[in-house]
Amino acid sequence: MDTRSKIKSKCKKIEDLLLMKNSKYGNSALEPLNVFSEAGAVAGIKMRIDDKLKRIKNAGLVDATEDTLQDLAGYLILLMIAKDNASNDIQKRLRQNQPIRSADSNSSATYSGGKVEYDST
């Protein structure tokens, strides 16, 4: 099998895994329940990526961590989707003149008169 075919095969396995888990867990990575954690989708997925990397660090790249590599690849794809969703949500709220609060600071942004205005409080 040539490299192109191997790439397609691995991507198909990750696609199947993501779709199966999304169906099984009800889109929980991108729409967390927030029962015990207030982390949003991006932060939650980053935590899961950290967990997978920790497992690989502790166990090494062996047959037992093959599923961890697949999970990691899947979480990286979900992170890209979550970041796209967050970016689209921010743009939508700005267009509706709703202030956008930064999660890591006391600053906010609003869209007014064709430009974004930033405010630090």
Side-chain angles (χ1 to χ4, degrees), residues 52 55-66 68-69 72:
K52 297 300 176 181
R55 180 165 186 231
I56 291 169
K57 180 183 177 194
N58 290 338
L61 290 173
V62 295
D63 289 344
T65 57
E66 180 65 26
T68 304
L69 287 174
L72 182 56

Side-chain angles (χ1 to χ4, degrees), residues 46-88:
K46 286 180 178 180
M47 285 186 276
R48 292 173 183 174
I49 290 170
D50 280 348
D51 291 342
K52 297 300 176 181
L53 291 171
K54 183 73 168 191
R55 180 165 186 231
I56 291 169
K57 180 183 177 194
N58 290 338
L61 290 173
V62 295
D63 289 344
T65 57
E66 180 65 26
D67 65 320
T68 304
L69 287 174
Q70 292 174 358
D71 286 344
L72 182 56
Y75 282 129
L76 291 169
I77 291 168
L78 289 173
L79 180 59
M80 288 185 271
I81 294 168
K83 289 177 74 89
D84 287 347
N85 290 350
S87 175
N88 290 338

Side-chain angles (χ1 to χ4, degrees), residues 17-30 78:
L17 177 71
L18 281 171
L19 293 174
M20 181 274 298
K21 286 191 174 190
N22 192 59
S23 175
K24 185 176 181 180
Y25 296 111
N27 207 27
S28 64
L30 297 171
L78 289 173

